[in-house]
Amino acid sequence: MTTSLQHALPSVARSDFNNDFLWGTATSAYQIEGAASLDGRVESIWDRFCSMPGVIRDGSNGAVSCDHYHHWPEDLDIASSLGSNAYRFSISWPRIFSGPDAEPNAEGLAFYSRLVDGMLARGLQPWATLYHWDLPQYLQDQGGWNSRDTVHAFVRFADVVSRHLGDRVKHWITHNEPWCTAMLGHADGIHAPGIKDFKMAIQVCHHVLLSHGLATPVIRANVPDSRIGLALNLHPISAATDKAEDQTAADLYDGLRNRWYLDPLYGRGYPTDVWNALADLAPAVKAGDMAAIAVSTDFLGVNFYFPERIEHAPGVSALNLRLVDAGDVERTAFGWEVAPAGMTTLLKRIQDDYAPAAIYITENGATYDDVLDAQGEIQDVQRRDYLIRHLAAIKEAIRLGCQVRGYFLWSLLDNFEWAEGCSRRFGIIHVDFVTQRRTLKLSGKWYRDFLAGRVLPAAPDVNTAGAAGVVKGEYLSA
Ligand code: IFM
């Protein structure tokens, strides 16, 4: 359900940011590439998961999706025509290794080589994510991320890919959103591999973090001038009421959701409050693991979407707490609360508590129920306003001292949105999944105009039911 409240749009212009601020868009392999059985690619856990009845909302899968495997020149052309100067993509592990002991697949490597060359030719700085959730199924069959062997397989994958692309790719993200890999995939079971075992999810999380820690020096050795980090989905957490027990529950949940990742990455080990609350659910940790995880990084990737509220709820979950619905707030079509001020709060907290070398917003965006109008255009006013308000929130965070150096909008293309299938559109480019026709949405045109530093034409008075009111002129850049 989409709801919106009337709001005045803040003023934000590209000139509010430093000249070397990076402006990009982001995608991931399984969500856009298609070509699932081409050129030696083998089955991933998402191919397998999607074949299970009822797990994907609209029954779709990523076998074709945007067919970016064939349409990448057109997609990069549009990304570059926006005036963006960076592009975040991910490497499909099952395209690179077809089995546990297989040699790297030359055709898979060649595809990413062409893609990277295509980015560079268009002035797009390549930002490669190594793991955006598409584990080869053969590794899952051997225990997946619950097995330490997968940690070592990941390091080999990182080694081969960084050797192959490192002469041109200098920015590396080891993992996207380890919380999702662990919790959505192994506790809630709503993502591949579809397991519901909280203790296993906590162990998976440790292995994912460990693989980041062990892969980072390998990439650095292969690409001495590289910049390496990982992308976390972080959330501002608050207590549902001012009762002490809700506040304690919110602190604990913040520990599980945010600090469980940030603390070990920044050398503090797992947070004691969560470790103690987990009791026998805590992960098996070997000597040296925590030091490996605390490897120094060059930046922190922050994926921001929504805040969360928590209340104490004995017996409801392993940590005796639960999420509370935010009530009558503005939401995207996903039901996610729209809270740009929360982004500023979150960034300030990260800066104050962890002082990362640099922060990049590696994802931020929204899904709305886009409609093609009679002219074949998409007047996604709500997504445009979402973008304006979140960019203004970053501008404010920078004013407060946060070292934010770049922004990657999620997403360049409408794509396969995991358990939601192709029914949730996050793109600033509309994709017709039947004809593969691409159409730049109003939000994409706004991003283009914003990046060009142009004064926008008068805001269209598209103010359909539920759409945010546009305060004409307030967002125009000078
Ligand atoms: O589409 C996803 C992406 O793959 C990871 N971060 C959140 C996005 C929106 O749900």
Side-chain angles (χ1 to χ4, degrees), residues 28 31 132-133 176-177 180 303 305 334 336 363 410 415-418 426:
S28 87
Q31 291 181 273
H132 201 125
W133 309 352
N176 185 66
E177 300 179 348
C180 293
N303 295 358
Y305 289 98
F334 224 142
W336 293 354
E363 285 184 27
W410 187 270
N415 56 47
F416 174 76
E417 175 54 29
W418 309 112
F426 272 91

Side-chain angles (χ1 to χ4, degrees), residues 75-256:
D75 296 337
L76 294 187
D77 280 348
I78 306 176
S80 134
S81 76
L82 296 174
S84 58
N85 53 16
Y87 177 65
R88 180 179 171 221
F89 67 111
S90 81
I91 314 266
S92 162
W93 191 343
R95 276 195 206 288
I96 308 299
F97 284 105
S98 61
D101 304 313
E103 288 302 309
N105 172 21
E107 288 176 293
L109 289 169
F111 168 67
Y112 291 108
S113 204
R114 288 194 299 277
L115 191 62
V116 164
D117 286 345
M119 290 173 214
L120 292 170
R122 291 167 177 80
L124 300 168
Q125 187 177 87
W127 281 58
T129 305
L130 284 164
Y131 190 73
H132 201 125
W133 309 352
D134 45 356
L135 187 73
Q137 181 62 39
Y138 62 80
L139 287 176
Q140 187 59 43
D141 295 341
Q142 297 175 351
W145 284 109
N146 192 39
S147 160
R148 276 181 91 94
D149 291 345
T150 298
V151 174
H152 301 297
F154 177 77
V155 175
R156 179 164 180 242
F157 169 55
D159 181 26
V160 165
V161 173
S162 59
R163 268 177 208 275
H164 195 79
L165 298 177
D167 56 335
R168 289 153 289 157
V169 177
K170 306 299 177 187
H171 293 86
W172 295 88
I173 293 172
T174 52
H175 279 272
N176 185 66
E177 300 179 348
W179 181 90
C180 293
T181 303
M183 293 298 158
L184 297 183
H186 297 81
D188 298 334
I190 60 169
H191 277 193
I195 294 168
K196 294 184 182 178
D197 180 337
F198 186 72
K199 183 172 170 60
M200 186 190 291
I202 295 288
Q203 189 63 52
V204 161
C205 184
H206 179 66
H207 289 157
V208 168
L209 292 176
L210 180 61
S211 74
H212 156 81
L214 295 179
T216 296
V218 172
I219 302 168
R220 210 165 257 152
N222 292 341
V223 193
D225 53 348
S226 58
R227 295 276 177 271
I228 309 172
L230 83 178
L232 299 179
N233 50 328
L234 300 170
H235 302 255
I237 310 289
S238 61
T241 72
D242 54 12
K243 281 192 225 154
E245 58 189 17
D246 288 339
Q247 189 58 60
T248 305
D251 288 346
L252 193 59
Y253 185 73
D254 174 65
L256 188 66

Side-chain angles (χ1 to χ4, degrees), residues 30-38 41 46-47 50 60-67 69 95 416 422:
Y30 188 73
Q31 291 181 273
I32 64 166
E33 282 178 5
S37 318
L38 229 57
R41 181 188 179 279
W46 272 95
D47 299 297
C50 291
S60 62
N61 57 47
V64 177
S65 184
C66 313
D67 195 21
Y69 195 79
R95 276 195 206 288
F416 174 76
C422 292

